[in-house]
Amino acid sequence: MADTKEKAKAKSQKAKVQAEPTFSKETYMWWYENMKLIRRFEEKTGQLYGQQKIKGFCHLYIGQEACVAGAVTALEKGDKWITAYRDHAHPLALGTSPGAVMAEMFAKVTGCSKGKGGSMHIFDKEVNFVGGHGIVGGQVPLGAGLAFAEKYNKTGKLCICYMGDGAVRQGAFHEALNMAMTWKLPVIFVIENNGYAMGTSVTRTSNVNDLYKLGHAYEMPSEAVEAMSVENVHNAVAKAAERARAGEGPTLLEFKTYRYKGHSMSDPAKYRTKEELEDYKGRDSIESVKATILKNGWATEEELDEIDEKQKQIVMEAVKFAEESPYPDPSELYTDIYVEENYPYIMD
C-alpha cells in the first residue's frame, strides 16, 4: 500500500500543473470526477472481460479520457456525438447511466442498446450519443450526415465525429471531408491519434504522419492538439464549435493521445516499448488535473481520494445492476429491425 501511494505521489509531481488556470474550480473538479469515473469504469471492464463476464470484442479508453472530457465542457447540450467502437467513455461523459453501459456489455436487456449492441455499439438518444460504430471509418460520413440535418433544420447545433488514426485510410473519410467542406456543414472531425491503428504505427502506413494535414487537401481548417491535456482539448473544440455555429463549416482536429492498453482486450501490445508507455503515463491527464487542483487549493488530497472512492462505488453498483439484470427474451431477435412495426418478415 505504501509503495502504491509513493508511485501515485511521484506521478502527481511529474504531472503538468496549471498554476494560473484559465478555467474555474468547478470545471477542474468536473473534469477530475468525470475522468476518474471513466478510468475506474474501464479498469473494471478489463477485469470483467478477463473473468469472461463480458464477451466479444472490447476496446478500452484508458489514457484517452481527456479527449472526451475536454470536449464535453466545450460543447452544448443538444450537440450530436458519434464515434468508432472505442465508445464506452463518450456516453459516460455525457451522462448516460454507468449501469446501462455496463449492462449493455453484459448483453442484458437493461443495457442502453437493449443488450443487442455490446461493447462496440453503445447508443443513447437521451444524451444525443449516436453510437459507437464497428466499421472502420463508417461513422465519418454518418457524422457529416448528422451535421447536415442540424444545418437543414436550422437548430444551431453541431456534430462532433470521432475516429481512430486508422480510419483516415478509408475513402469514406475523404468523401465526407469533401462534402462537409463544400456544404459548410457544422461538424468537428476528431482523429484520436493514439499512435497505432490496431498494432501498426502511423509511420508505417502513411507518408503523412501529421494527420491533420489531410484536411488541407479540402482547404479545411485543421490543427494538431496535444490531447493529453484536457485544457488543450477544450480550447480546440470550443474554437471549432464557434466556427461551426457561425456557419463557417467543419474543422479537422488531430488529438495526439495514447492508450495505455492494447487495441483491444486480445492485444498484448508487444509492438511498443515499456519506456514509451511509461513516458505517456507520466503525462497522464487525470494526474495533471489533480495536480492543478491541489496547487490552487481547490481540494485536499483526502477530498480527491473520496471522489475516487465514490467513482469506484458507482462502478461497483453498475456491475451489480448488470449482473442482476435479465437477458433479452428470444423474441427480441425480431424487434428493432425495421422502422415499420408490421413489416413482413419470416419468423420461422
Side-chain angles (χ1 to χ4, degrees):
M1 179 63 75
D3 184 52
T4 302
K5 285 189 174 181
E6 284 302 314
K7 285 183 179 179
K9 184 178 180 182
K11 271 189 179 181
S12 291
Q13 289 173 344
K14 192 176 178 182
K16 183 179 178 182
V17 179
Q18 295 288 335
E20 296 182 5
T22 55
F23 297 95
S24 67
K25 169 187 173 181
E26 290 72 25
T27 299
Y28 272 97
M29 294 301 291
W30 187 89
W31 280 337
Y32 183 78
E33 189 167 344
N34 192 270
M35 290 195 290
K36 269 294 184 182
L37 172 62
I38 295 168
R39 177 72 57 89
R40 295 310 184 194
F41 187 96
E42 294 289 70
E43 288 172 346
K44 191 63 182 176
T45 296
Q47 292 175 9
L48 293 164
Y49 192 91
Q51 296 168 7
Q52 297 189 346
K53 292 185 177 181
I54 294 173
K55 299 181 181 181
F57 294 103
C58 186
H59 308 79
L60 302 182
Y61 209 70
I62 298 172
Q64 298 184 207
E65 293 87 354
C67 296
V68 165
V72 171
T73 51
L75 296 181
E76 297 177 357
K77 187 175 182 180
D79 290 332
K80 302 297 189 298
W81 292 63
I82 191 169
T83 190
Y85 43 79
R86 196 180 305 276
D87 63 344
H88 313 155
H90 302 72
L92 289 173
L94 290 166
T96 300
S97 162
V101 179
M102 188 64 77
E104 185 58 40
M105 290 194 286
F106 272 63
K108 298 297 184 73
V109 72
T110 53
C112 47
S113 298
K114 301 183 183 179
K116 299 178 180 183
S119 168
M120 296 172 68
H121 305 286
I122 308 292
F123 283 74
D124 189 354
K125 185 178 179 182
E126 295 302 313
V127 298
N128 292 299
F129 182 59
V130 195
H133 295 259
I135 298 175
V136 175
Q139 78 281 11
V140 184
L142 296 179
L146 288 164
F148 179 87
E150 300 301 323
K151 181 172 183 175
Y152 183 84
N153 292 318
K154 298 181 173 61
T155 64
K157 301 300 181 184
L158 56 81
C159 175
I160 184 167
C161 176
Y162 286 77
M163 69 201 80
D165 45 272
V168 303
R169 315 290 169 230
Q170 296 284 9
F173 167 81
H174 297 274
E175 293 169 2
L177 261 62
N178 180 54
M179 294 174 74
M181 198 62 195
T182 300
W183 294 339
K184 296 295 184 289
L185 301 181
V187 56
I188 305 170
F189 294 112
V190 174
I191 304 168
E192 292 182 296
N193 184 0
N194 55 36
Y196 300 92
M198 294 186 71
T200 307
S201 68
V202 172
T203 57
R204 291 183 60 196
T205 60
S206 174
N207 187 54
V208 179
N209 295 327
D210 295 318
L211 300 182
Y212 72 93
K213 292 180 180 178
L214 296 172
H216 293 168
Y218 308 98
E219 298 186 357
M220 184 181 295
S222 309
E223 65 176 294
V225 181
E226 200 290 282
M228 297 302 283
S229 160
V230 69
E231 296 94 345
N232 288 351
V233 170
H234 176 104
N235 289 333
V237 172
K239 178 182 173 184
E242 186 176 355
R243 287 193 68 256
R245 297 190 209 284
E248 296 174 10
T251 300
L252 176 64
L253 301 175
E254 179 189 356
F255 282 2
K256 303 272 192 177
T257 184
Y258 201 79
R259 50 175 163 81
Y260 297 168
K261 301 295 183 180
H263 170 72
S264 68
M265 286 299 298
S266 60
D267 174 16
K270 292 181 179 179
Y271 42 81
R272 61 186 181 186
T273 65
K274 290 182 179 178
E275 290 75 19
E276 178 183 287
L277 176 60
E278 290 305 314
D279 176 58
Y280 275 96
K281 284 185 176 181
R283 295 183 249 165
D284 187 78
S285 57
I286 300 176
E287 292 299 326
S288 294
V289 167
K290 178 180 179 179
T292 299
I293 290 170
L294 293 172
K295 179 73 174 180
N296 288 276
W298 290 332
T300 64
E301 189 92 42
E302 291 72 23
E303 288 170 332
L304 294 180
D305 287 345
E306 286 177 9
I307 290 174
D308 190 17
E309 287 301 318
K310 173 189 170 186
Q311 303 305 59
K312 287 181 184 177
Q313 186 58 40
I314 289 173
V315 171
M316 292 309 297
E317 289 171 0
V319 174
K320 184 174 184 292
F321 174 77
E323 288 181 327
E324 294 177 353
S325 295
Y327 286 106
D329 187 84
S331 63
E332 282 295 311
L333 283 170
Y334 304 103
T335 64
D336 305 313
I337 300 172
Y338 299 101
V339 172
E340 296 177 53
E341 291 184 8
N342 296 321
Y343 191 92
Y345 51 85
I346 298 172
M347 299 283 287
D348 298 332

